[in-house]
Amino acid sequence: MCDVAIVGAGPAGLSAAVNAASEGLKTVVLEGYAPGGQAGSSSLIENFFGFPTGISGGELTNRAQLQAVRFGAKFSTPSQALSLAFEGGEHGAVLQIEGCMATLRTKCVIIATGADYNRIDAEGRERFEGLGVYYAATAHESGLCRGATVIVAGGGNSAGQAAMFLSEWAEKVLLVIRGSDLNKSMSSYLSRRVETKENIEILCRTEIRKMTGEAHLEYVELENMETHELRTVRTPAVLSMIGAKPCTSWLPEEIERDERGFVKTGAAVADAPAWKGVKRRPGPLETSQPGIFAAGDVRSGSVKRCTAAVGEGGMAVEGVHQVLGTYA
């Protein structure tokens, strides 16, 4: 039995563990594979606060785990949550855990299971995760693309929005799609904007074949699938917008999700059945079930960045304190 169970030990889960344990909450962290999540596989994270020369994802997340353990958090790895149920009384949630088939009762749960992003099947891609291959178009990526050619892979709305956003800074945006046109997968209003933007070039029936560079991504090789013509492009960044699957299949129906499966929180769940009769509004990271929170990439509307996930982990713990009525 614990005050808070954190499911997932990526940046959001580890941040929540450090904050919860350091503030006196009995904290248990469940991780199905290894602490670190997708950030743990990054060879170098250069924009994380406090590390001006960068730090590897593995080292960053290892430090975070050691810090959480020092404060008293208990880690169970590999331990994958199989189900989440709710009951009345002091302990409002029950987690069934794979492997030992144990039952964990907890007052609050923080869902930080992240998302599995579809990876571009290109030679050398794994070398440039976080060093040229990105999964969100934010101010960080726009800075990298200033005055350069940038590649956006994908034909959906997220790809179109990323291309439009980056076109304000980049000299040129190459939108790489496998299909014959944008109308099949992108909203008509957005596809028209993309097609008429002067510095966006749409490459239909094209795939990324190879990525090369030294410390960072420098060149990308593209192949036209009809003519098999190869084209090499110098670029500092590839934005992969070919979809992601949130790790939410184990959650019950009571935890509401958006059309893509990401967990809804805050105002989006204020009308959920479980909140009827509750004398407070759901917190910004609280789900459709009171006392259950979501943080990081698994949350609908989240910013898919390591630093944002760390911040959400800390915010979720603040919500836990409000539910429990305890403050360190």
Side-chain angles (χ1 to χ4, degrees), residues 8-319:
L14 289 171
S15 171
V18 170
N19 282 274
S22 67
E23 294 167 8
L25 298 180
K26 294 181 180 179
T27 305
V28 174
V29 183
L30 305 177
E31 170 55 48
Y33 301 99
Q38 299 209 40
S41 63
S42 296
S43 57
L44 186 66
I45 300 174
E46 295 187 274
N47 66 331
F48 197 85
F49 177 83
F51 296 93
T53 59
I55 185 172
S56 72
E59 184 178 0
L60 178 66
T61 53
N62 182 59
R63 289 186 181 189
Q65 184 183 13
L66 290 174
Q67 189 175 17
V69 169
R70 174 175 170 268
F71 285 124
K74 307 296 183 183
F75 281 76
S76 183
T77 306
S79 291
Q80 188 167 350
L82 293 177
S83 65
L84 173 64
F86 313 104
E87 59 182 23
E90 181 183 8
H91 290 87
V94 180
L95 287 160
Q96 295 292 337
I97 306 168
E98 187 179 31
C100 57
M101 293 306 295
T103 297
L104 175 65
R105 283 180 165 79
T106 179
K107 298 175 184 177
C108 293
V109 175
I110 297 176
I111 302 165
T113 45
D116 289 329
Y117 290 89
N118 296 332
R119 307 292 183 176
I120 297 172
D121 186 15
E123 180 183 344
R125 185 266 310 157
E126 63 278 0
R127 288 183 52 210
F128 301 106
E129 292 285 341
L131 298 172
V133 178
Y134 305 100
Y135 298 90
T138 69
H140 172 67
E141 287 77 21
S142 67
L144 295 173
C145 302
R146 192 176 299 273
T149 296
V150 61
I151 295 175
V152 177
N157 282 358
S158 60
Q161 291 159 0
M164 290 298 300
F165 174 74
L166 294 174
S167 68
E168 299 300 317
W169 288 272
E171 180 180 355
K172 192 170 189 178
V173 177
L174 301 180
L175 183 59
V176 176
I177 64 173
R178 300 177 65 180
S180 57
D181 60 68
L182 292 177
N183 296 320
K184 294 180 180 179
S185 55
M186 189 179 295
S187 298
S188 58
Y189 80 92
L190 183 56
S191 64
R192 286 195 297 269
R193 292 181 61 198
V194 171
E195 289 168 346
T196 56
K197 187 71 174 181
E198 291 184 357
N199 63 335
I200 297 180
E201 180 181 352
I202 302 170
L203 303 179
C204 299
R205 297 198 180 281
T206 301
E207 293 188 5
I208 298 173
R209 288 295 182 222
K210 188 176 182 179
M211 301 184 188
T212 57
E214 296 298 328
H216 294 74
L217 177 67
E218 296 178 42
Y219 296 96
V220 169
E221 185 178 273
L222 306 172
E223 180 181 1
N224 183 295
M225 301 308 297
E226 290 185 333
T227 65
H228 299 290
E229 178 184 358
L230 297 176
R231 173 181 176 182
T232 300
V233 177
R234 186 184 182 105
T235 179
V238 171
L239 278 292
S240 178
M241 299 291 179
I242 56 176
K245 183 180 180 182
C247 302
T248 56
S249 60
W250 61 281
L251 292 172
E253 293 181 357
E254 290 93 333
I255 303 298
E256 294 184 5
R257 282 150 277 184
D258 64 17
E259 66 280 359
R260 295 190 297 157
F262 291 87
V263 179
K264 293 182 178 180
T265 57
V269 297
D271 296 328
W275 282 100
K276 293 181 179 178
V278 179
K279 296 182 180 180
R280 63 180 180 86
R281 302 280 290 179
L285 301 184
E286 205 161 4
T287 70
S288 53
Q289 189 72 24
I292 311 298
F293 300 82
D297 288 5
V298 75
R299 191 178 67 83
S300 178
S302 67
V303 178
K304 306 301 188 285
R305 303 295 301 174
C306 180
T307 49
V310 169
E312 289 194 6
M315 288 175 59
V317 173
E318 173 66 14

